[in-house]
């Protein structure tokens, strides 16, 4: 298993596609291969109100940029994310980080 | 602050710069480093040190190299015989030849028809928006610089209303944009509520406001209210989402004012001390009942009351007023109600409210001085000056609708030469009735244009094509709010050259040096910028390049400190020295001094005779992250995210017309027709549709008659010409009646 995980605080994900495009640029993947891809729920109206959520899902191609960032440089998708709602963190620290983020949060170990 | 230039160990260099279209968007100035290898930009990285954007970048800047090195980009000056307009028969020429042709034609035309026969067009808020009118007045010597959007329906109306009623520049929400410590600065307070009124800034980054600042504020606890016919991503997270009928905003504003005034929720001390005409306003807003307003706007009375109370009782709160204020022939009154709401609740220029500024600082001063260089006799000939004096009171430009009239009729005089500044006006934001503009402009003696790609407008009209540099290829400054409330100035630093492309300003420089060197005394571009920024900021352009950006000093409550008036007195720079809830200017210009609601001219209510055939209302202009108006349609990575023009239709309406998701749909009214692809969605109410704008198809045949397919999806063809307000502002781009029906293809 990977040592790192990606957290998406998706209540702030606006579906801007910056993560998808950055990741493609960084890795020169084929046109139809993505390190991360957006999913969308809604927009639709529940009785309790509107639901309009995006959650980007990293694919198997995502290596969490572990090598790339070993020199301390930022993870490209995390840097550019317009919602500032992405983090790449050690799996071991998840339990400490998650409580502060509240609801509508996803964790991926791609 | 980071280094301006970083030498990497692998021999590449990283250069810091800030962005402004071309390409991208309005003057936001997002900070970034561009990695240069062998003279080419190979990588784009956000600059985490940038105080507003902190490294965030949207997909338009992330794909910058694809734009810069696109195979379709025009990178040499070109000439085409005017008789071949519309044909792809260009001849590559040198810059010297291009300038010679322009000078020769300009001389011949001004000698024969007068300088006033020259007209220049700017497009959206790209960089040349700062320079085009100065070149027109000071160098070409013509009074006819124009933004051809009917009723000048973008930004100009809001700025003018702010100027008339407050004597100030554009009142932008306080998002700590002026403060070194940003949101943590001790002076700052968070807006408790943010009302987004006809505005969806996340992807439009309007006028230099970085849209995702809203997410910063959301995370810190600001709550939202949206006033928009559509549900937006923010509406889905708002306490209230008022889905009003498009174009009825003034009625809603009147209703909210009525609630706040009648319930005594206003800031009586502020009203007493700093406003003029409160009693008259009170009387006016009580001429409507909330029941009537509910009927006009389709917003429930209870919701109007609730939102009015929330706004008045939660100081500080801010209103962001959007383009929907401008694209409305009743828009002057919409702006009036919004300015009045902010004023009577005491939310102007307080932390977390709406900031004020002196208009026309920075470039503004120079631009006005350039207008003064016009010969007085010529200046009087500015088209529209007599008919719409109020229109030109706060921004000196010719009137767009009357320019089309002049082009078509020769009245008041013939126009013979046109110059296009980065404006793909046949496809785009600009102009209602694009085919009329096209027919009129193809008859000109001479047309010159500057742009980056062969657009439909260039293919149809230009004789000389001047290739323009992207922000990565020239020196420049980014000026949020175009100098009308500018929180910081950033440097565009030249990183590379592409072909023979030059910046809009460099081109203006060359022409200026040849035609009127006295008005153009600077040796270099850097000298020019130093002269512009030094008096205000005390630094040179080179300093700015090294610093990267420079935040402007700011003080809250400027009206108390004598900082809004040239005479240094307290108060506001209006005839009464106060915020004018009742305007002391409007009557002279034939306008009611108090706000009122009026139907736009092409709605089922103003034209019941047409309502049966055209039962739907079309709204337009919503933005996507994948393009800046018509810019970026040829960028493959972006186009695959948004391959087709979309028209949003409510499921109920779609069933009624037998339309399924993904069907091609014709949208039609008595003025025009456009074809877009159906996106069935609940975010829009039954009976209303939203159609995307700015579509053309760079992959299609560019020659006439196809012109890259520009006529296929031109929603502006449905917008009537000169359906504008009494002051000359506001055209119904976001509310005209129409019908829809399924068709087989884009070519039907
Ligand atoms: S962490 Fe790296 S590989 Fe994974 S999605 Fe982000 S940029 Fe792509
Ligand atoms: S970059 Fe961030 S905000 Fe944008 S789609 Fe990806 S996760 Fe969402
Ligand atoms: S908001 Fe504008 S300047 Fe910023 S990254 Fe996007 S296009 Fe570029």
């Amino acid at each position: 298993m990977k040592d790192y995980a990606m957290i998406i605080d998706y209540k702030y994900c606006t579906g801007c596609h910056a993560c998808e495009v950055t990741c493609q640029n960084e890795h020169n993947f084929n046109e139809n291969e993505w390190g991360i891809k957006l999913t969308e729920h809604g927009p639709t109206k529940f009785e309790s109100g509107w639901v309009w959520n995006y959650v980007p899902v990293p694919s198997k191609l995502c290596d969490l940029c572990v090598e790339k960032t070993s020199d301390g440089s930022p993870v490209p998708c995390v840097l550019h994310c317009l919602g500032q709602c992405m983090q790449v963190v050690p799996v071991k620290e998840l339990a400490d980080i998650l409580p502060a983020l509240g609801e509508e949060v996803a964790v991926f170990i791609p | 602050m980071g280094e301006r230039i970083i030498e990497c160990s692998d021999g590449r260099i990283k250069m810091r710069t800030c962005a402004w279209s071309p390409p991208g968007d309005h003057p936001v100035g997002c900070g970034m480093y561009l990695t240069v290898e062998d003279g080419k930009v190979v990588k784009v990285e956000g600059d985490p040190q940038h105080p507003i954007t902190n490294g965030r970048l949207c997909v338009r800047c992330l794909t910058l190299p694809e734009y810069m090195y696109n195979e379709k980009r025009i990178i040499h000056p070109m000439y085409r015989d005017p008789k071949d307009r519309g044909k792809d028969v260009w001849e590559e020429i040198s810059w010297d030849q291009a300038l010679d042709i322009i000078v020769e034609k300009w001389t011949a035309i001004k000698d024969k028809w007068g300088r006033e026969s020259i007209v220049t067009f700017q497009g959206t808020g790209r960089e040349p928006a700062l320079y085009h009118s100065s070149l027109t007045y000071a160098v070409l010597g013509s009074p006819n610089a124009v933004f051809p959007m009917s009723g000048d329906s973008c930004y100009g109306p809001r700025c003018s209303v702010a100027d008339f009623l407050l004597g100030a520049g554009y009142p932008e929400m306080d998002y700590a944009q002026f403060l070194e410590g940003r949101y943590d600065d001790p002076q700052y307070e968070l807006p408790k509520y943010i009302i987004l009124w006809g505005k969806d800034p996340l992807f439009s980054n309007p006028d230099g406001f970085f849209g995702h600042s809203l997410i910063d504020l959301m995370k810190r606890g600001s709550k939202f209210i949206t006033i928009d016919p559509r549900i937006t991503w923010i509406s889905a997270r708002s306490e209230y989402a008022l889905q009003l009928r498009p174009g009825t905003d003034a009625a809603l504003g009147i209703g909210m004012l009525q609630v706040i005034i009648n319930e005594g929720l206003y800031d009586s001390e502020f009203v007493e001390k700093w406003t003029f005409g409160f009693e008259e306003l009170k009387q006016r807003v009580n001429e409507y009942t909330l029941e009537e307003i509910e009927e006009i706007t389709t917003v429930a009375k209870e919701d109007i009351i609730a939102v009015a109370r929330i706004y008045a009782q939660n100081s500080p709160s801010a209103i962001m007023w959007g383009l929907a204020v401008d694209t409305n022939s009743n828009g002057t009154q919409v702006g009036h109600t919004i300015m009045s709401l902010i004023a009577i609740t005491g939310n102007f220029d307080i932390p977390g409210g709406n900031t004020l500024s002196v208009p026309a600082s920075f470039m503004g001063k120079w631009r006005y001085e350039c207008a003064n260089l016009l010969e007085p006799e010529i200046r009087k000939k500015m088209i529209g000056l007599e008919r719409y004096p109020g229109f030109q009171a706060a921004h000196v430009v010719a009137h767009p609708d009357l320019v089309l009239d002049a082009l078509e009729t020769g009245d008041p005089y013939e126009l013979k030469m046109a110059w296009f500044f980065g404006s793909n006006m046949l496809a785009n934001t600009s102009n209602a009735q694009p085919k009329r503009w096209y027919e009129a402009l193809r008859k000109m003696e001479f047309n010159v244009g500057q742009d980056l790609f062969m657009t439909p407008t260039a293919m149809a009209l230009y004789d000389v094509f001047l290739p323009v540099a992207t922000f990565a290829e020239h020196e420049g400054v980014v000026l949020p709010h175009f100098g009308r409330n500018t929180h910081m100035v950033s440097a565009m630093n030249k990183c590379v050259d592409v072909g023979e492309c030059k910046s809009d300003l460099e081109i203006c420089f060359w022409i200026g040096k040849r035609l009127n060197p006295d008005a153009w005394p600077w040796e270099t571009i850097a000298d020019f910028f130093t002269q512009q920024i030094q008096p205000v900021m005390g630094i040179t352009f080179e300093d700015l390049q090294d610093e990267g950006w420079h935040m402007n000093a700011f003080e809250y409550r400027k009206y108390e400190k004598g900082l809004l008036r040239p005479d240094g007195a307290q108060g506001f720079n209006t005839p009464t020295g106060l915020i004018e809830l009742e305007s002391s200017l409007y009557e002279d210009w034939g306008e009611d001094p108090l706000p009122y609601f009026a139907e736009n001219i092409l709605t089922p209510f103003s034209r019941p005779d047409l309502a049966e055939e055209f039962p739907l209302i079309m709204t337009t202009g919503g933005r996507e992250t994948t393009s800046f108006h018509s810019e970026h349609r040829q960028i493959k990575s972006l186009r695959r995210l948004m391959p087709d023009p979309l028209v949003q239709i409510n499921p109920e309406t779609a069933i009624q017309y037998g339309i399924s998701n993904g069907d091609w749909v014709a949208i039609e009214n008595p003025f025009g027709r456009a074809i877009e692809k159906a996106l069935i969605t609940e975010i829009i109410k039954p009976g209303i549709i939203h159609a995307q704008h700015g579509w053309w198809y760079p992959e299609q045949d560019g020659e006439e008659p196809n012109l890259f397919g520009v006529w296929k999806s031109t929603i502006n063809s449905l917008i009537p010409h000169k359906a504008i307000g009494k002051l000359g502002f506001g055209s119904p781009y976001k509310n005209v009646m129409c019908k829809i029906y399924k068709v087989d293809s884009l070519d039907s």
Side-chain angles (χ1 to χ4, degrees), chain B residues 575-639:
Chain B
T576 54
L578 300 167
I579 294 180
E580 302 204 338
L581 303 175
E582 178 187 31
S583 169
S584 56
L585 299 168
Y586 285 5
E587 270 180 333
D588 284 348
W589 300 329
E591 181 59 282
D592 189 328
L594 290 162
Y596 58 89
F597 169 70
E599 272 294 335
N600 279 248
I601 69 154
L602 201 64
T603 78
F605 300 90
S606 52
R607 293 300 302 269
D609 54 318
L610 296 174
E612 201 174 321
E613 193 181 353
F614 304 103
L616 306 178
I617 297 171
M618 177 181 81
T619 182
T620 69
R623 299 265 284 275
E624 305 291 334
T625 188
T626 41
S627 70
F628 176 36
H629 299 302
S630 72
E631 208 177 66
H632 299 105
R633 300 287 181 216
Q634 61 287 83
I635 307 305
K636 286 204 181 83
S637 321
L638 299 176
R639 186 70 184 278

Side-chain angles (χ1 to χ4, degrees), chain B residues 19 24-25 28 30 57-58 60-61 205:
Chain B
D25 61 19
V28 179
C30 294
L57 288 181
C58 81
R60 299 188 298 284
C61 276
N205 301 294

Side-chain angles (χ1 to χ4, degrees), chain A residues 13-19 38 56 81-83 85-86:
Chain A
C13 171
T14 60
C16 77
H17 298 282
C19 50
L38 272 181
C81 171
L82 288 185
C85 61
M86 309 175 81

Side-chain angles (χ1 to χ4, degrees), chain A:
Chain A
M1 195 179 95
K2 293 186 168 100
D3 295 333
Y4 286 82
M6 180 182 285
I7 304 177
I8 310 288
D9 189 354
Y10 66 86
K11 55 185 166 294
Y12 300 121
C13 171
T14 60
C16 77
H17 298 282
C19 50
E20 293 176 350
V21 171
T22 300
C23 182
Q24 278 237 343
N25 285 350
E26 282 290 327
H27 296 88
N28 297 315
F29 294 140
N30 293 336
E31 206 180 302
N32 294 313
E33 298 191 358
W34 302 85
I36 190 162
K37 196 82 187 97
L38 272 181
T39 62
E40 184 175 6
H41 178 201
T44 186
K45 199 167 184 182
F46 286 5
E47 248 174 61
S48 52
W50 284 94
V51 175
W52 190 339
N53 286 332
Y54 295 98
V55 184
V57 179
S59 74
K60 273 236 171 247
L61 292 177
C62 170
D63 59 3
L64 296 159
C65 287
V66 173
E67 249 171 69
K68 240 180 218 309
T69 56
S70 56
D71 61 353
S73 53
V75 180
C77 57
V78 173
L79 172 67
H80 295 138
C81 171
L82 288 185
Q84 286 183 323
C85 61
M86 309 175 81
Q87 296 184 52
V88 172
V89 302
V91 171
K92 279 196 216 132
E93 291 173 19
L94 280 170
D96 296 329
I97 296 169
L98 288 175
L101 297 176
E103 295 173 354
E104 299 186 292
V105 174
V107 176
F108 294 98
I109 303 176

Side-chain angles (χ1 to χ4, degrees), chain B residues 171-179 187-193 267 270 274 311-312 314-319 341-357 554-561 564 572 579:
Chain B
E172 181 59 276
M173 172 177 71
D174 183 14
Y175 57 108
Q177 67 270 41
F178 288 96
L179 307 175
Q187 293 183 74
Y188 187 63
E189 266 189 71
L190 200 69
K192 292 200 177 81
Y193 281 83
D267 181 338
F270 186 91
W274 301 112
Y311 178 60
N314 287 278
S315 179
S317 287
I319 301 181
L341 282 164
I342 303 173
I344 68 167
T345 53
N347 274 306
F348 270 127
D349 228 15
I350 60 168
N354 280 76
T355 60
L356 290 174
S357 84
F554 184 75
E555 294 221 40
Y556 289 109
R557 297 187 171 86
K558 286 181 277 296
Y559 49 88
E560 286 179 355
K561 301 169 184 162
L564 289 178
F572 294 81
I579 294 180

